[in-house]
């Protein structure tokens, strides 16, 4: 399962003005923060374990206390459930495993619980616990009783995407031994998952839905 409470590190969300940032403008971003920062969680699951199948979910506009969320018309809460499909690229053979995700971008500062960014990968012999949208937090290895048996730490790179960008650059320049792991197909799969869980909020996403906000069921 994956759960987040907070803005997921998105910048420009606490400016003290009523301008809608591009991240919360469906015409520019395609939806709420799920399209900017939350999508990377889906892409990571796809890369490590395989494609998401039988996707179900939904979205809401809870309209938290933050000014940016109040003036925006897009969703700020998204839930997803799915099953891992079979594939040839997964790091861990996980076909048939269940996936549950919640993105609560409308998290209130007054909420007695702490902000959260937690991805748990469970198996028969234990689990891994880590952040999914932060590059700096450690990875915890837990036994079947959820006791920590090992902590893995690593140095945060100065530029989070630098290594991937470098691999793409190397491949374009002809260094075939440095093939980039990210292809267009995984982006298309992630986009399809997002469209599935957001379709109910926007009354479909097969058209120019950003031009008809008055018809979005999720706004009302």
């Amino acid at each position: 399962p994956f759960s987040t409470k907070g803005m997921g590190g998105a910048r420009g969300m606490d400016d003290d003005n009523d301008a809608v940032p591009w991240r919360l403008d469906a015409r520019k971003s395609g939806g709420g923060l799920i399209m900017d920062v939350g999508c990377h969680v889906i892409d990571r699951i796809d890369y490590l374990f395989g494609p998401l199948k039988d996707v179900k979910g939904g979205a809401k506009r809870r309209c938290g206390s933050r000014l940016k969320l109040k003036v925006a018309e897009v969703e700020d809460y998204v839930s997803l459930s799915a099953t891992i499909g079979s594939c040839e690229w997964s790091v861990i053979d996980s076909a048939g495993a269940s996936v549950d995700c919640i993105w609560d971008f409308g998290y209130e500062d007054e909420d007695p619980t702490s902000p959260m960014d937690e991805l748990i990968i469970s198996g028969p012999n234990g689990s891994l616990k880590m952040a999914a949208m932060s590059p700096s937090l450690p990875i915890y290895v837990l036994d079947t009783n959820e006791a920590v048996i090992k902590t893995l730490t690593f140095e945060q790179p100065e530029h989070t995407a630098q290594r991937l960008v470098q691999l793409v650059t190397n491949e374009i320049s002809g260094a075939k031994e440095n093939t980039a792991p990210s292809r267009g197909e995984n982006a298309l799969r992630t986009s399809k998952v997002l469209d599935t869980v957001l379709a109910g909020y926007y009354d479909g996403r097969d058209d120019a839905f950003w031009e008809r906000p008055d018809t979005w069921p999720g706004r009302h």
Side-chain angles (χ1 to χ4, degrees), residues 11-32:
R11 297 181 294 273
M13 295 296 107
D14 295 318
D15 297 345
D16 191 19
N17 60 65
D18 59 2
V20 178
W22 70 265
R23 291 180 172 86
L24 301 180
D25 184 343
R27 178 180 294 274
K28 299 176 181 177
S29 68

Side-chain angles (χ1 to χ4, degrees), residues 21-206:
W22 70 265
R23 291 180 172 86
L24 301 180
D25 184 343
R27 178 180 294 274
K28 299 176 181 177
S29 68
L33 288 178
I34 185 75
M35 300 297 294
D36 177 42
V37 293
C39 61
H40 299 302
V41 177
I42 300 172
D43 196 44
R44 179 181 296 186
I45 293 172
D46 179 289
Y47 175 72
L48 292 175
F49 308 107
L52 299 186
K53 303 294 184 182
D54 303 320
V55 177
K56 299 177 182 177
K60 301 177 182 179
R61 180 173 178 258
R62 292 186 168 183
C63 195
S65 61
R66 290 179 174 80
L67 179 60
K68 297 301 185 185
L69 294 176
K70 288 183 177 181
V71 299
E73 299 179 325
V74 295
E75 78 291 337
D76 55 28
Y77 182 93
V78 181
S79 61
L80 175 157
S81 63
T83 301
I84 299 292
S86 59
C87 66
E88 298 179 353
W89 69 80
S90 63
V91 177
I92 303 173
D93 183 9
S94 307
S98 60
V99 176
D100 293 287
C101 300
I102 292 178
W103 292 265
D104 184 2
F105 297 113
Y107 170 81
E108 301 281 1
D109 290 333
E110 295 79 14
D111 192 319
T113 61
S114 300
M116 179 185 297
D117 176 13
E118 183 177 84
L119 173 65
I120 300 177
I121 304 165
S122 300
N125 298 316
S127 59
L128 299 175
K129 182 189 294 186
M130 68 193 76
M133 296 196 297
S134 170
S136 59
L137 298 180
I139 298 174
Y140 299 102
V141 182
L142 295 82
D143 63 18
T144 54
N145 295 317
E146 299 187 0
V148 177
I149 57 177
K150 191 173 184 179
T151 300
L152 305 175
T153 59
F154 50 93
E155 183 178 353
Q156 180 180 348
E158 181 179 359
H159 303 291
T160 304
Q162 191 274 332
R163 294 176 183 175
L164 176 59
V165 172
Q166 188 64 62
L167 285 173
V168 172
T169 302
N170 291 346
E171 183 171 355
I172 292 174
S173 64
K176 295 299 184 181
E177 67 276 9
N178 290 312
T179 302
S182 182
R183 323 304 294 183
E185 291 85 353
N186 59 302
L188 291 173
R189 289 192 298 271
T190 296
S191 180
K192 184 176 180 180
V193 170
L194 290 169
D195 283 341
T196 299
V197 297
L198 297 178
Y201 187 94
Y202 295 100
D203 192 25
R205 290 169 63 86
D206 294 331

Side-chain angles (χ1 to χ4, degrees), residues 207-220:
D207 62 345
F209 63 90
W210 53 87
E211 295 182 350
R212 50 173 181 80
D214 291 340
T215 70
W216 299 350
R219 285 186 59 206
H220 309 291

